[in-house]
DNA sequence: GGTTGACTTAGAGCTGACTCTAGATTCTAT
DNA sequence: ATAGAATCTAGAGTCAGCTCTAAGTCAACC
């Protein structure tokens, strides 16, 4: 079974332009061509494409993905290097997810901030008396509610 | 207490160039200037800067962050819009984290793939007999191990 | 009083990742 | 057999998000 660039693009939900660009950047050295020079993707190529899509999603730059594919094409001597590459990006991705969790926590505290302001009809309930500056104690209040067992998600919900 | 652009840049670990760029894009309308026209950041400005950094980390484009700051400057009539904005990006961030979790799962399965190949000294243990194509059953084998209670993280570890 | 260093602006330059155009070729369906 | 759709390449264009340069201002120190 073989597939045209259009079929592969549809399956992966990316444009044929992008696939040609990836090819130009050396990400698709495994793709065959027919007599007319058109790309013919094999079933096994989807194993590579899956990896490419995964690394993209993980935020790995195209050039580095190219290096990984190079390793794949070189053979069994690069097995350790390929493992190390994946382990490295696993660590980076875990670090990123931890940062995103903090970001999410922050968004939830700010939602609570606006929810309470909305209930009061004005943001000024959070200001230091007589100023336009946010009282630093407001964040502490939120943190205390969470420490007392409230869910940040629930605290931010309206209704 | 007030801070120069350089001090703020150092505190946030971003370059003064970037801060000026954000200002140009309308993200810092709240920053005062001294008589000489130099930016003077106030303590309260860090509340805005925190939000900007958070939204950046969440992947919100600079222009959209500018719209949010506009809402903030407009006053209490925009409280609901600000809440909705944050709630929207909370949802988007949760969706992104779910995708990243799948990406992480994939990286772990591939680590296991290379770990087992390394143990055998050759990737060909994963190929269909007599071919250079990966046996689709290999992934199923990994999934079975996970279904039987193995941890994907442990399965990918070497030693 | 002169040098150094941090700051100012406008605007140019850079990078990554596409995205598209032009012009030619090939495949598919009637 | 021919129209229309899909593909090919080379190379140009686009966009976001910085990043830097140039030319000038200003404050601090020796």
């Amino acid at each position: 079974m073989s597939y045209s660039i259009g079929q592969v693009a549809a399956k992966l939900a990316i444009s044929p332009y992008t696939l040609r660009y990836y090819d130009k950047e050396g990400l698709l050295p495994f793709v065959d061509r027919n007599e007319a020079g058109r790309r013919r993707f094999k079933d096994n190529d989807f194993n590579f494409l899956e990896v490419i899509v995964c690394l993209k999603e993980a935020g790995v730059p195209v050039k580095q993905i190219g290096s990984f594919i190079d390793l794949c094409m070189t053979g069994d001597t690069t097995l350790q290097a390929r493992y190390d590459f994946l382990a490295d990006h696993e660590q980076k991705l875990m670090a990123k997810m931890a940062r995103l969790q903090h970001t999410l926590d922050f968004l939830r505290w700010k939602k609570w901030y606006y929810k309470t302001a909305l209930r009061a009809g004005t943001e000024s309930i959070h200001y230091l008396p007589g100023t336009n500056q946010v009282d630093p104690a407001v964040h502490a209040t939120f943190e205390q509610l969470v420490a007392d067992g409230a869910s940040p998600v629930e605290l931010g919900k309206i209704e």
Side-chain angles (χ1 to χ4, degrees), chain A:
Chain A
M1 205 44 199
S2 96
Y3 311 85
S4 72
I5 195 169
Q7 291 170 316
V8 172
K11 226 178 256 214
L12 304 181
I14 61 185
S15 79
Y17 293 142
T18 303
L19 280 173
R20 289 192 200 100
Y21 163 68
Y22 288 167
D23 199 2
K24 222 185 278 190
E25 295 298 311
L27 269 58
L28 313 179
F30 48 82
V31 177
D32 293 337
R33 302 287 184 127
N34 69 8
E35 327 71 48
R38 302 203 165 176
R39 292 172 187 83
R40 303 306 327 190
F41 292 76
K42 306 173 289 300
D43 280 312
N44 194 54
D45 295 348
F46 285 93
N47 291 315
F48 288 104
L49 292 167
E50 258 184 338
V51 171
I52 290 169
V53 168
C54 163
L55 293 173
K56 278 254 73 208
E57 180 73 33
V60 180
V62 166
K63 268 186 191 142
Q64 281 186 54
I65 300 178
S67 309
F68 181 78
I69 298 292
D70 284 348
L71 292 177
C72 292
M73 305 314 284
T74 300
D76 288 336
T77 56
T78 68
L79 286 171
Q80 182 72 53
R82 285 186 257 172
Y83 178 89
D84 293 344
F85 180 95
L86 296 179
D88 180 30
H89 286 292
E90 181 200 13
Q91 289 309 306
K92 285 179 173 149
L93 185 48
M94 286 193 301
K96 181 191 205 156
M97 288 184 73
R99 282 200 312 281
L100 289 180
Q101 186 56 57
H102 285 132
T103 300
L104 198 49
D105 292 343
F106 187 90
L107 283 176
R108 283 167 179 162
W109 123 248
K110 276 291 166 177
K111 270 181 71 187
W112 176 85
Y113 174 97
Y114 284 120
K115 170 191 169 182
T116 48
L118 264 168
R119 217 160 40 194
T122 173
E123 187 177 358
S124 62
I125 57 153
H126 295 314
Y127 294 165
L128 287 166
T131 74
N132 284 319
Q133 290 169 33
V134 176
D135 185 347
V138 178
H139 193 179
T141 303
F142 177 80
E143 291 298 320
Q144 191 55 55
L145 290 170
V146 174
D148 290 347
S151 139
V153 180
E154 293 303 321
L155 285 174
K157 275 192 191 156
I158 287 182
E159 259 90 32

